Amino acid sequence: MSVEKYLKPEVIRNIKRLDLRAQFVVKGFLQGLHASPMHGFSVEFSEHRRYASGDDPKDIDWLVYAKTDKYYVKKFEAETNITGYLVVDTSRSMGYTYRQDLTKFDYGVCLAAALCYLMVHQQDPVGLITFDQRVRNSLPPKSRRSQMAAVLSLLSRLQPTGETNISASLLQIAGMLRRRSLVMIFSDLLSEQDEVIAALRRLRHGGHDIILFHILDEAEVYFPFSGMVELEDPESGQTLEVDADGFQQDYRQAISEFRDGYQRESVKSGFDYVPLDTSMQFDKALMEYLLRRRSRG
Amino acid sequence: MALVTGSLLFLGSLFVAAPIIVHLATRQRPRHIEFPALRFVQQSRAQNQRRLQLRQWLLLLLRCAVVLALAAALARPSVPTNALGQWGAFALFFSATLLLTLVFVVALTHADQRLAAMVAGALAVVTLLGAGYYLWRSLQTGEGRIIGDEEAPIAAVLLFDTSPRMQYVWENQTRLEAGGETGLWLLEQLPRGSQAAIADAHPGSIVFAPDLSTARAAIQRLRITNTPQPLVEKLQAAIRLLAASENERRELYVFTDLSRQAWRVAHEADVREALAEHEEIVLNLFDVGVERPNNVALGELKLSGQTLTPGGRLQVETSVAASEKGGSRVLELYLEEPDPQLPLIRDGHLELPTPVLRMRQTTQPTPGGAVRVRFPDLPKLPLGVHHGYVRLVGEDGLKIDDARYFSVLVRAPWKVLVCAPPNTATGLFTEAVSPYAFRAGGRSRFEISEIPQAELSRHDLTKYAAVCLLDPAPLNAAVWRRLARFVRHGGGLGVFLGRRASPAAAFSVPAAQELLPGVLQRQWRAGSRELYLTPNSLNHRILQPFRQIASSTPWDRLPVLKHWVFEQLAPEATIVMRYSNGHPAVLETSLGGGRVLTMTTPISDAANSTHPPWNYLPTSDGSWPYVVLINEMTLYLVGSGDERLNYLAGEVAELNYADSGTAQRFELFTPDGDRQEIVGTRDRVSVRATDLVGAYRLKGHAGLPISLGFSVNLPTAASDLTRIDSARLDVLLGQSRYEMSNSRGEFTRAIGVARQGREFFPHLLLLLALLLVLERVLANRFYRR
């Protein structure tokens, strides 16, 4: 997939719209995303804005109040010191979609691109790590605007192939990261759940913030098949012949339990878990997540 | 069950292998789909595999069923009509079994439906048992009847109802003609090599015709009989004939107007049982009757008497019944002019006395109702036999009941000898049976002669029809023996015991006991108690006039004071009438050809006699019951009712010619003009062939000319066109045991059904279509692309 794929008009539009619509988020949520000790450390004045209920009173510009007798808050473009890592699963299973436009990998890349864009726009350093059975590629974090092109360029060169070993890869990443970072993982997590959770704990224990984007194909979530089907695991090549009709309910139940496992762990270990499927519009999904996170933070 | 093309079923069944081979060889592959989340599928794989296998088996079974249904449909299976119900029940239970099995299989594939699977499985077993039971019943019911092969030779009996009702004309055809026409058509439809018997209501056995052309001729010769044998009896005879036939396919066709009278039967279970016993016999009824017949019928003629004396009046009464349309109808009464020379064959032509229209009456019967018509008295008929008839003017569907014939004999008065001891008043009796006014006018029925009892020993009794002993004194044995001889020769003896019958022992001598009903024992005195005659049972002929007025007859106004009591009643003695105290009043005994009536109280005691009367029977106010009783007793003694001149068709006519001369040979002229020679024996002549309706005339050959005669009519029931309802027919023949049709189209269908049975071809095609649809639905569902 080429770089243009991710910069095609609708994707750019989506990203731009996201940028426009979430401008305050871009300039605020990453601030909230940061750890609080770094707060107020960098201030490059951006604009004034009428005070609105809910704004922090300490942001009120008293000088403007003295002049105008109105409350204005000062908005700043943050100069962050948070380092983000986009960790993308490139195993064979990520290249799957049943009937959607984007494969899980594409979906993850779009998300990663958007976040990359936002972070670069925020002048946060952002790096890229890809893995399957182990870490395959990595771009060191940079906050330059050229970083985005580098990230996209690398992603567009990748083909999801081979088997996956998420837990090993995550452990490897945990070993790689020296500074506390924001680790954004894009994976279908189709691996042994316990091992993956153990790796996530290890990563979390390293002091990293984790946002786990769990990307499944719509077919993997809803199992929309009917009649007799022969299913093949693209990674292992294993096949199964099943009657889809009588099976759908059981499958959905299993998937739901699988996702719930991560959800429970996210609460327990204190990381963000974002279950997604390829039928969801990724920009909306991202927005929702960011808003939710902001309201939480 | 039979198969029209049985070989196809066998060959077709072999093709069941085809779907199995196809199923195994080219089993449709499931869709191949790449699916990374296979680990979650694997968890429930085992259960899913079992479900898959079950569904595959189900699909294979369905495909086999499709082939089998196609083969079965092409084989055109059929079952006997009477086994249809059982086969239907079998199909129902079998379908239920299949359905429940399907539910069982589907439920098995769901882990949470175990209970449903168990229930469905149990029910499937139950319905399978039901299906097995009805299959067994079906095979039992249809056993023996051959169906399926329409060209197999047939043993057929065509039974035609030839009773007089079949003369009903509808659309210019009598019902017999209509039936015969269909019968001829039916003969043409019989397969080659078939044998047929033509039966009708005439007496006689049924046999198979040598060939079908003979059977055809027999149908063309069918004639109405006025003395039909019951149709049901002929039906049983036909069943017996068919049961003995060599042909295995047996069919019985009945051409009937379905009137209630035709299907009257004494033992209704007989036919049903015979039909049930021979299930192989196919019974077809062809209805040639008319649903709403238009008929006006004359009822039975009621004559004031069949034997009249000169000057006696003849009264004729009848009824007119209309079935559908009422309206005004004219009745005419004809009477022949007696001519001793006729009938006579002159120049080869039979000459008969000319009937003369004597009276005409108009009546207006209502639809479905009947009106009585009484003609005025016919006065003063001359001596001899008179023939006449009443006819309805105009036409209707059935002619046979438009005329009724009658014959009366006018004869000289009966001679009665009245014998009494001296000083016994005979006038009361004489005036009661032969009043002076009648004697003077020549209208008296009896010619009374009176003699003293003492002359009885030498008086010639042979010229008398009856002897009446009024209050007799003891008689010697010789007189008793004379009287016994007189009775033995057909005479009537009336003994009216009174106070002179003493000593009672004189009446117990053996010679007297031959005539008397018992031993005369004692007198019974009423004293202060009320005693009178009480005829409890009015069955005897002498009490017939009292039947209509039994409760209003004032017997209690005719007191009886004394009567004799008989002991040790003879076994042959019958008590005709009793007193209110229960003792017999009138007793009857018979001896040889004659009869003896004994009354235990006199009938001749005058009220003003020197001796107190034994009763006030003749002398009370309102003594009319006495007059009627005495007249009836005398008529009975002279044997007036024995002369019967009006018969129903088929009855044996008995005529007495003792009074008419000594001829032994007679010429009998039947109503259709035929002449026969018959011989009389012992003063009587019997005519057995009375199946024609009308007047029969006998002419004596030797000695003086003798004219005898009688009339024959059909019973009124013979023209009763009321139709039998199907429920009654079901009771008689058995439900579903016969096919009914009233047109050739229906007949053809009924015969087809009987020979072919009920075909399942359309049902099997429907089943095939359903199976195909089901197979397609399941196949698409299992292997959806």
Side-chain angles (χ1 to χ4, degrees):
Chain A
M1 188 177 285
S2 63
V3 179
E4 291 74 26
K5 165 79 185 290
Y6 305 109
L7 298 175
K8 64 184 181 182
E10 60 267 26
V11 175
I12 293 290
R13 193 165 56 245
N14 282 339
I15 294 171
K16 279 195 77 173
R17 192 175 66 218
L18 181 71
D19 185 22
L20 294 172
R21 281 171 57 196
Q23 208 170 40
F24 69 96
V25 179
V26 171
K27 293 166 186 170
F29 99 92
L30 285 175
Q31 205 172 37
L33 214 61
H34 302 164
S36 57
M38 300 162 194
H39 178 74
F41 205 26
S42 67
V43 215
E44 187 178 336
F45 175 73
S46 169
E47 59 176 353
H48 280 106
R49 180 171 61 77
R50 288 292 291 268
Y51 174 80
S53 174
D55 283 346
D56 194 342
K58 71 174 182 276
D59 291 339
I60 295 172
D61 190 337
W62 298 108
L63 281 172
V64 177
Y65 173 70
K67 287 176 187 171
T68 62
D69 206 19
K70 290 188 174 72
Y71 295 114
Y72 279 86
V73 289
K74 286 187 282 189
K75 300 301 293 177
F76 303 93
E77 293 205 10
E79 184 184 84
T80 179
N81 59 354
I82 189 82
T83 304
Y85 282 95
L86 301 167
V87 179
V88 180
D89 184 351
T90 58
S91 66
R92 172 78 177 80
S93 67
M94 285 296 283
Y96 173 77
T97 186
Y98 174 55
R99 56 186 180 188
Q100 297 298 320
D101 290 334
L102 300 178
T103 63
K104 291 187 278 183
F105 181 72
D106 295 338
Y107 195 89
V109 166
C110 285
L111 275 177
L115 288 167
C116 177
Y117 176 86
L118 290 174
M119 289 197 75
V120 167
H121 192 76
Q122 185 66 29
Q123 297 177 348
D124 285 326
V126 60
L128 173 69
I129 298 171
T130 65
F131 69 90
D132 42 40
Q133 284 184 303
R134 60 187 177 84
V135 172
R136 291 290 177 192
N137 297 290
S138 70
L139 281 177
K142 287 176 183 168
S143 58
R144 288 201 299 265
R145 294 206 175 245
S146 59
Q147 179 72 351
M148 170 122 183
V151 168
L152 290 178
S153 170
L154 176 59
L155 287 175
S156 65
R157 281 203 307 276
L158 292 177
Q159 285 293 326
T161 50
E163 293 185 30
T164 185
N165 190 336
I166 300 170
S167 55
S169 302
L170 289 181
L171 288 174
Q172 193 182 358
I173 291 167
M176 284 165 61
L177 302 182
R178 298 295 171 206
R179 292 182 58 193
R180 290 167 58 189
S181 309
L182 175 64
V183 182
M184 292 164 279
I185 304 168
F186 305 89
S187 172
D188 54 12
L189 301 176
L190 294 179
S191 186
E192 282 303 312
Q193 191 174 27
D194 294 343
E195 293 175 10
V196 174
I197 285 175
L200 286 170
R201 283 177 183 165
R202 168 75 182 79
L203 200 59
R204 187 80 183 92
H205 188 69
H208 304 290
D209 269 348
I210 302 171
I211 304 175
L212 183 56
F213 290 97
H214 188 190
I215 303 166
L216 288 172
D217 189 60
E218 171 247 356
E220 288 173 327
V221 176
Y222 299 108
F223 204 73
F225 313 116
S226 60
M228 284 303 303
V229 288
E230 186 187 51
L231 304 174
E232 182 187 359
D233 185 351
E235 288 184 16
S236 64
Q238 190 185 357
T239 58
L240 272 184
E241 204 172 301
V242 292
D243 169 31
D245 289 311
F247 200 69
Q248 199 175 54
Q249 204 176 348
D250 294 345
Y251 179 85
R252 287 184 182 179
Q253 177 79 18
I255 276 290
S256 179
E257 284 172 8
F258 181 63
R259 283 173 148 188
D260 288 348
Y262 282 109
Q263 187 71 53
R264 281 195 299 276
E265 183 56 30
S266 72
V267 173
K268 198 190 290 180
S269 300
F271 62 84
D272 280 3
Y273 174 70
V274 188
L276 296 166
D277 71 70
T278 51
S279 67
M280 300 165 80
Q281 285 188 14
F282 75 89
D283 53 343
K284 278 187 189 168
L286 183 61
M287 271 300 297
E288 277 172 23
Y289 162 68
L290 294 178
L291 287 172
R292 200 166 64 241
R293 183 181 169 103
R294 183 171 177 269
S295 66
R296 199 172 62 228
Chain B
M1 179 178 281
L3 304 165
V4 175
T5 48
S7 54
L8 274 181
L9 180 63
F10 177 69
L11 286 175
S13 303
L14 293 180
F15 278 95
V16 169
I20 298 172
I21 293 167
V22 169
H23 193 82
L24 295 174
T26 63
R27 199 168 57 159
Q28 204 171 6
R29 301 300 304 169
R31 285 184 299 154
H32 182 87
I33 296 172
E34 205 173 65
F35 195 71
L38 200 62
R39 63 178 63 241
F40 304 108
V41 179
Q42 259 173 328
Q43 291 173 7
S44 311
R45 187 188 170 208
Q47 190 185 350
N48 194 268
Q49 282 297 104
R50 194 165 67 242
R51 188 185 305 163
L52 171 69
Q53 282 172 352
L54 281 172
R55 287 190 175 178
Q56 281 177 342
W57 277 112
L58 190 62
L59 201 59
L60 176 61
L61 281 176
L62 266 177
R63 286 171 179 168
C64 292
V66 165
V67 174
L68 279 177
L70 183 64
L74 290 175
R76 291 173 63 195
S78 52
V79 299
T81 316
N82 58 340
L84 193 64
Q86 271 90 7
W87 279 106
F90 164 71
L92 202 66
F93 272 94
F94 192 65
S95 306
T97 307
L98 289 180
L99 197 67
L100 286 165
T101 308
L102 189 68
V103 172
F104 172 70
V105 168
V106 171
L108 264 189
T109 59
H110 291 83
D112 54 343
Q113 301 291 334
R114 293 283 173 197
L115 183 64
M118 283 171 64
V119 172
L123 285 175
V125 170
V126 171
T127 50
L128 186 64
L129 287 174
Y133 169 72
Y134 277 107
L135 180 65
W136 176 74
R137 284 279 309 273
S138 307
L139 295 173
Q140 293 285 315
T141 307
E143 206 173 21
R145 184 179 291 190
I146 296 175
I147 52 171
D149 186 0
E150 279 187 287
E151 294 310 313
I154 290 169
V157 174
L158 280 67
L159 172 58
F160 292 87
D161 184 359
T162 50
S163 58
R165 279 180 312 277
M166 295 290 279
Q167 283 177 300
Y168 186 84
V169 177
W170 175 255
E171 295 175 342
N172 293 326
Q173 260 189 330
T174 67
R175 297 303 81 206
L176 182 59
E177 286 166 354
E181 215 171 66
T182 310
L184 289 172
W185 167 80
L186 180 65
L187 282 183
E188 288 172 12
Q189 314 302 314
L190 292 181
R192 288 167 67 86
S194 299
Q195 51 179 175
I198 307 302
D200 60 17
H202 284 89
S205 57
I206 309 171
V207 288
F208 282 113
D211 52 45
L212 292 183
S213 59
T214 314
R216 205 167 292 122
I219 292 180
Q220 286 160 346
R221 283 198 307 271
L222 284 174
R223 295 288 176 268
I224 294 289
T225 172
N226 287 332
T227 54
Q229 277 204 314
L231 194 62
V232 173
E233 279 181 21
K234 301 297 281 192
L235 195 65
Q236 284 173 287
I239 291 170
R240 284 195 294 274
L241 177 72
L242 282 174
S245 167
E246 289 175 356
N247 271 331
E248 289 184 353
R249 168 168 280 172
R250 295 151 190 179
E251 296 180 352
L252 175 51
Y253 298 93
V254 183
F255 298 83
T256 168
D257 62 352
L258 281 184
S259 66
R260 201 187 292 162
Q261 289 298 326
W263 293 90
R264 281 173 74 95
V265 57
H267 305 289
E268 60 183 38
D270 291 355
V271 187
R272 196 173 59 235
E273 284 167 6
L275 283 170
E277 192 181 336
H278 298 286
E279 281 206 341
E280 76 282 5
I281 296 176
V282 176
L283 176 60
N284 278 296
L285 303 187
F286 189 77
D287 176 16
V288 293
V290 178
E291 198 63 46
R292 297 163 71 90
N294 177 24
N295 184 38
V296 180
L298 270 180
E300 195 181 335
L301 294 186
K302 283 193 175 176
L303 307 175
S304 56
Q306 300 185 54
T307 311
L308 301 173
T309 47
R313 290 171 183 272
L314 175 65
Q315 194 179 70
V316 181
E317 190 178 332
T318 184
S319 63
V320 180
S323 61
E324 191 62 31
K325 292 179 187 168
S328 177
R329 296 300 296 264
V330 175
L331 278 82
E332 293 178 341
L333 189 148
Y334 287 84
L335 200 61
E336 291 178 0
E337 286 292 337
D339 186 341
Q341 302 302 319
L342 297 178
L344 183 70
I345 293 178
R346 186 175 290 162
D347 300 333
H349 295 286
L350 180 67
E351 282 187 21
L352 294 172
T354 316
V356 177
L357 175 63
R358 302 292 292 266
M359 288 170 192
R360 183 177 272 145
Q361 289 267 50
T362 303
T363 183
Q364 202 146 12
T366 53
V371 288
R372 294 212 62 81
V373 179
R374 180 189 263 179
F375 288 95
D377 291 356
L378 282 163
K380 291 196 176 177
L381 297 177
L383 289 171
V385 177
H386 297 262
H387 301 291
Y389 59 91
V390 176
R391 78 176 188 101
L392 268 171
V393 181
E395 287 193 352
D396 54 29
L398 191 59
K399 280 185 182 171
I400 55 163
D401 55 7
D402 290 350
R404 296 256 168 212
Y405 301 87
F406 65 89
S407 298
V408 288
L409 171 65
V410 180
R411 53 159 294 161
W414 287 282
K415 291 183 176 175
V416 176
L417 179 66
V418 174
C419 183
N423 302 324
T424 301
T426 57
L428 291 171
F429 174 80
T430 310
E431 282 304 308
V433 298
S434 177
Y436 172 76
F438 280 30
R439 289 200 302 271
R443 288 192 286 138
S444 176
R445 288 184 290 191
F446 306 106
E447 188 184 320
I448 307 287
S449 304
E450 293 181 33
I451 58 165
Q453 187 175 319
E455 289 182 23
L456 197 55
S457 58
R458 50 184 181 275
H459 198 79
D460 179 18
L461 302 180
T462 54
K463 58 185 177 183
Y464 296 104
V467 173
C468 291
L469 303 179
L470 304 186
D471 195 4
L475 299 165
N476 60 41
V479 176
W480 281 119
R481 279 196 290 274
R482 282 199 80 198
L483 287 170
R485 203 177 310 122
F486 167 72
V487 172
R488 250 186 230 106
H489 281 93
L493 174 64
V495 183
F496 301 90
L497 297 171
R499 61 185 171 84
R500 290 196 174 84
S502 289
F507 289 84
S508 301
V509 295
Q513 285 299 299
E514 207 176 357
L515 292 166
L516 294 177
V519 179
L520 196 62
Q521 199 69 31
R522 57 190 170 88
Q523 292 175 9
W524 201 95
R525 289 177 177 78
S528 58
R529 290 165 291 191
E530 281 194 358
L531 184 68
Y532 45 85
L533 292 167
T534 49
N536 291 329
S537 164
L538 300 173
N539 291 333
H540 200 276
R541 218 173 73 196
I542 67 169
L543 299 173
Q544 187 204 346
F546 299 106
R547 281 178 201 161
Q548 301 289 333
I549 50 166
S551 59
S552 57
T553 311
W555 293 109
D556 52 347
R557 291 192 196 162
L558 309 176
V560 176
L561 307 176
K562 273 189 190 175
H563 66 80
W564 282 101
V565 176
F566 277 104
E567 301 284 345
Q568 302 170 33
L569 288 180
E572 68 274 13
T574 53
I575 300 166
V576 179
M577 204 175 185
R578 291 178 188 270
Y579 298 107
S580 54
N581 59 9
H583 286 293
V586 181
L587 298 108
E588 181 184 0
T589 49
S590 56
L591 185 65
R595 60 196 68 163
V596 181
L597 285 177
T598 306
M599 196 165 176
T600 55
T601 193
I603 52 169
S604 49
D605 275 7
N608 54 359
S609 165
T610 50
H611 300 282
W614 278 38
N615 59 57
Y616 294 102
L617 288 174
T619 52
S620 289
D621 289 339
S623 62
W624 63 264
Y626 159 79
V627 176
V628 174
L629 180 66
I630 293 302
N631 269 278
E632 288 301 319
M633 285 176 77
T634 313
L635 281 169
Y636 185 63
L637 287 174
V638 298
S640 80
D642 297 345
E643 292 289 335
R644 190 173 162 202
L645 299 175
N646 295 283
Y647 292 88
L648 293 177
E651 289 182 328
V652 178
E654 295 270 357
L655 297 175
N656 193 341
Y657 63 90
D659 289 348
S660 308
T662 55
Q664 297 289 308
R665 301 178 72 82
F666 290 91
E667 269 184 315
L668 171 69
F669 295 90
T670 56
D672 61 351
D674 193 19
R675 191 179 62 160
Q676 299 171 11
E677 291 268 334
I678 57 168
V679 178
T681 52
R682 294 188 180 178
D683 302 343
R684 296 188 80 78
V685 59
S686 299
V687 181
R688 295 183 183 279
T690 57
D691 56 335
L692 291 176
V693 168
Y696 289 72
R697 303 157 214 276
L698 282 88
K699 204 172 161 189
H701 269 297
L704 293 170
I706 304 170
S707 284
L708 297 176
F710 62 94
S711 285
V712 170
N713 284 299
L714 287 173
T716 49
S719 61
D720 182 2
L721 298 170
T722 314
R723 285 168 67 82
I724 191 169
D725 55 22
S726 56
R728 173 80 187 132
L729 214 51
D730 284 349
V731 170
L732 275 179
L733 304 176
Q735 205 168 9
S736 312
R737 183 59 187 88
Y738 62 95
E739 290 290 336
M740 169 82 74
S741 36
N742 58 12
S743 68
R744 279 190 198 178
E746 278 185 28
F747 209 28
T748 309
R749 262 194 304 284
I751 294 169
V753 165
R755 291 183 190 169
Q756 283 290 329
R758 294 273 183 193
E759 278 210 42
F760 283 132
F761 184 68
H763 306 90
L764 283 170
L765 276 190
L766 187 66
L767 178 68
L768 180 64
L770 282 175
L771 286 172
L772 278 173
V773 168
L774 201 59
E775 192 272 338
R776 277 294 84 197
V777 166
L778 287 182
N780 283 338
R781 186 177 161 79
F782 292 173
Y783 305 115
R784 196 171 298 165
R785 288 191 183 280

